[in-house]
Amino acid sequence: MSLASDQARPGAAEKPTLYKRIRLDIETRILTGEWPPGHRIPFEHQLMARYRCSRMTVNKALSELAQADLIERRRRAGSFVRRPQHLSAVLKISDIRAEITALGRSYGYQLIDCRRRTATAADRARLGVSTAGKVIAIACRHSADNVPFAVEDRLIDLSTVPEAATADFAHEPPGSWLLHHVPWTEAEHTISAVVADDRTAKALDIAVGSPCLVIDRYTWRSARTVTAVRLHYPGETHRLVARFKGG
Amino acid sequence: MSLASDQARPGAAEKPTLYKRIRLDIETRILTGEWPPGHRIPFEHQLMARYRCSRMTVNKALSELAQADLIERRRRAGSFVRRPQHLSAVLKISDIRAEITALGRSYGYQLIDCRRRTATAADRARLGVSTAGKVIAIACRHSADNVPFAVEDRLIDLSTVPEAATADFAHEPPGSWLLHHVPWTEAEHTISAVVADDRTAKALDIAVGSPCLVIDRYTWRSARTVTAVRLHYPGETHRLVARFKGG
DNA sequence: CACGATTATATGTCTAGACATATAAGTCAA
DNA sequence: TTGACTTATATGTCTAGACATATAATCGTG
């Protein structure tokens, strides 16, 4: 209850808005363990009194904490510090070109194969569609500073993205093209490990039998399949980093 | 996964609160592409008129959309549909016991090795600490239906979690113990692929040279290191799935 | 004691205002 | 044309109320 001393500290940073201060105060207490899981947070009217503000203001702070799953709010009972069930991490998977250039390395792209065809049974299974429309199948390679970085094997559903028929995948990687032409998709990623087969090893310039990290991404847009892609990364050099948020 | 939480009534869905309806309306327009990236969303006072409500109500809807990075709000200019920079996926990494039992399989746990020691230089480097306190080093194995599921190699910093000294890791996996005794940590995960060495292959009952998915997790709690753990999964059978959220 | 009905209360949502503030856009001078 | 100044405006935050609603606690009854 030693809260009343937060007023106008001379060295303190720019005063943020009040609701943000309330939110940060509570968040800090939770994260430091001062308020452990199950602990009941002061009622809204108590926080109103402590911070001398209206209920809407503390409500905004608490609502955001609830949205972030840090607290649980129960009618009539109060708000409680949550115990997280499973730790979840946010994994950022950039466009490969962006990822490489962000590292300050030169990006290289080679189209290995690109063909347009009517979807085979295998294509339909991979895209999760039942009708046999046209698709584009692409194999290509990404490199950083002229060292192979990843090989890509992709299928694009032309019935969802007809514009892709006219795209020039000889010079622009399909991932970048799709990112700029098909916004706001949803995706599911599956990450696994394999050893490089002959073809993959050759494309990545690694030994057959080397470990590879595989990312399968299946992308859709309001219930319509956009693309399915499989990326092979050399597992000894490439790492996926996911950070933050846990319990 | 269910699409919506609509009540039994097929005709008129149980009216959700107004701000949620506004948020869903806008979200739908964005996700279906009716409002593409860069599109300016109606001003708050226009939405007030359209939904016949106060500004605070539309503000709440728009604020949540902004928090979800679906729109960008600019003073004086308005609110705009964002173009996502990189697709980020939420990767849920459960406690292994919970993950296995959730699959309806029987969970098994074998402690391979557990020793308490003063942190060696290697331990300190791995934990990212400079002082040489006590640590616990644990090697153990998780199995599902008596088939090896993952091997774990963990270091716990006893200066952060002194209670761990009295925990019985012979019967309780350290991950579960920590989950229940050290709430609200933060973590960083690194995912990579390797081929199984002799020791790992034996523990997982796979062939030497088989692919393995490796997860390194480094966990801390308000600037204090809690634990560092490395998990090896047989790469051919185990998959990490990350879903949702993209562009 | 068990169990259903009642009540008290904390949260959930909403209103009709208010002032603050960043900034796009327009204005004017050099 | 350019740069500095002004203005209009959309968002950001906040208030002091209101009623709705779920539910923990209490009370009453069998």
Side-chain angles (χ1 to χ4, degrees):
Chain A
M1 309 296 179
S2 52
L3 236 198
S5 55
D6 302 289
Q7 299 291 51
R9 293 275 280 290
E14 270 321 313
K15 181 176 85 175
T17 58
L18 180 52
Y19 92 87
K20 282 181 182 164
R21 231 187 68 214
I22 300 174
R23 173 158 61 70
L24 187 64
D25 275 3
I26 297 172
E27 192 177 319
T28 302
R29 282 180 160 79
I30 294 174
L31 260 29
T32 59
E34 184 182 335
W35 287 350
H39 180 269
R40 212 203 59 231
I41 283 166
F43 297 128
E44 292 187 349
H45 69 88
Q46 294 177 301
L47 293 170
M48 284 171 67
R50 175 173 309 181
Y51 290 96
R52 302 167 180 285
C53 64
S54 79
R55 209 187 119 216
M56 278 301 284
T57 301
V58 306
N59 185 282
K60 181 160 186 171
L62 293 177
S63 294
E64 290 194 3
L65 288 169
Q67 221 181 307
D69 260 350
L70 223 69
I71 67 172
E72 184 188 351
R73 314 201 70 196
R74 292 207 299 272
R75 277 183 141 108
R76 161 73 210 239
S79 302
F80 301 83
V81 178
R82 272 183 69 96
R83 175 191 306 282
Q85 321 296 58
H86 33 239
L87 42 148
S88 64
V90 175
L91 178 68
K92 285 193 177 163
I93 301 178
S94 314
D95 171 53
I96 295 179
R97 178 163 64 181
E99 184 182 351
I100 290 175
T101 55
L103 290 169
R105 303 164 73 185
S106 77
Y107 173 75
Y109 168 70
Q110 294 91 39
L111 182 63
I112 297 169
D113 189 69
C114 177
R115 52 190 68 190
R116 193 181 160 190
R117 63 173 176 245
T118 302
T120 65
D123 292 343
R124 294 202 301 275
R126 191 167 165 205
L127 290 171
V129 297
S130 49
T131 56
K134 297 277 182 193
V135 299
I136 297 182
I138 298 166
C140 59
R141 184 171 68 168
H142 308 266
S143 51
D145 290 340
N146 290 319
V147 177
F149 188 81
V151 287
E152 172 174 336
D153 173 25
R154 183 187 292 270
L155 224 49
I156 299 175
D157 189 333
L158 279 177
S159 58
T160 305
V161 198
E163 317 91 276
T166 60
D168 179 16
F169 295 127
H171 296 99
E172 181 167 24
S176 304
W177 187 90
L178 285 166
L179 192 60
H180 289 97
H181 290 81
V182 189
W184 285 118
T185 58
E186 291 169 78
E188 183 173 298
H189 301 84
T190 304
I191 302 163
S192 56
V194 301
V195 293
D197 60 17
D198 198 56
R199 208 171 65 99
T200 306
K202 201 162 285 177
L204 284 177
D205 195 21
I206 57 176
V208 174
S210 301
C212 285
L213 203 57
V214 177
I215 299 181
D216 277 293
R217 176 157 63 233
Y218 174 71
T219 305
W220 68 95
R221 170 183 179 70
S222 45
R224 290 194 59 86
T225 298
V226 173
T227 184
V229 59
R230 165 167 285 196
L231 293 159
H232 281 256
Y233 295 86
E236 271 140 356
T237 59
H238 193 76
R239 259 112 222 280
L240 279 174
V241 178
R243 46 186 79 210
F244 199 51
K245 210 176 188 191
Chain B
M1 299 303 154
S2 58
L3 270 184
S5 48
D6 286 0
Q7 295 298 78
R9 296 278 302 158
E14 206 49 58
K15 184 175 81 175
T17 58
L18 181 50
Y19 91 88
K20 282 179 181 165
R21 229 186 70 213
I22 300 174
R23 172 158 63 69
L24 187 64
D25 275 5
I26 297 172
E27 192 177 320
T28 302
R29 282 180 161 81
I30 294 174
L31 260 29
T32 58
E34 182 182 337
W35 288 349
H39 177 89
R40 213 204 59 232
I41 283 166
F43 297 128
E44 291 188 350
H45 74 264
Q46 294 178 299
L47 292 170
M48 282 171 68
R50 171 174 312 181
Y51 291 97
R52 300 169 179 284
C53 64
S54 78
R55 210 187 120 218
M56 278 301 286
T57 301
V58 306
N59 184 283
K60 180 159 186 170
L62 292 178
S63 294
E64 290 194 3
L65 288 170
Q67 221 181 307
D69 258 351
L70 223 69
I71 67 171
E72 184 188 351
R73 314 201 71 196
R74 291 208 298 272
R75 277 185 140 108
R76 162 73 209 237
S79 302
F80 301 84
V81 179
R82 273 184 67 97
R83 175 191 305 284
Q85 325 295 57
H86 32 241
L87 40 149
S88 63
V90 175
L91 178 68
K92 284 194 176 163
I93 301 179
S94 316
D95 172 51
I96 295 178
R97 179 163 64 181
E99 183 182 352
I100 290 175
T101 54
L103 290 169
R105 301 165 73 185
S106 77
Y107 173 75
Y109 168 72
Q110 295 91 39
L111 182 63
I112 298 169
D113 188 71
C114 177
R115 51 189 70 189
R116 192 179 161 190
R117 62 174 178 243
T118 302
T120 65
D123 292 344
R124 294 202 301 276
R126 190 168 166 206
L127 290 171
V129 297
S130 50
T131 56
K134 296 277 181 193
V135 299
I136 297 182
I138 298 165
C140 60
R141 184 171 68 167
H142 308 267
S143 52
D145 289 340
N146 291 318
V147 177
F149 188 81
V151 288
E152 172 174 336
D153 173 26
R154 183 188 292 268
L155 224 48
I156 299 175
D157 189 333
L158 278 177
S159 59
T160 304
V161 199
E163 317 90 277
T166 60
D168 178 17
F169 295 126
H171 297 99
E172 182 166 25
S176 305
W177 187 90
L178 286 166
L179 192 60
H180 289 97
H181 290 81
V182 190
W184 286 117
T185 57
E186 290 170 79
E188 182 174 299
H189 302 84
T190 304
I191 302 162
S192 57
V194 301
V195 293
D197 60 17
D198 198 56
R199 208 171 64 98
T200 306
K202 201 162 287 177
L204 285 176
D205 195 21
I206 57 176
V208 174
S210 301
C212 285
L213 201 58
V214 177
I215 299 181
D216 277 292
R217 175 157 64 235
Y218 174 73
T219 305
W220 68 94
R221 171 182 178 72
S222 48
R224 291 194 58 87
T225 299
V226 174
T227 185
V229 59
R230 165 167 285 195
L231 294 159
H232 282 255
Y233 295 87
E236 270 140 357
T237 58
H238 193 77
R239 262 110 224 282
L240 280 173
V241 178
R243 43 186 79 213
F244 199 50
K245 215 181 185 191

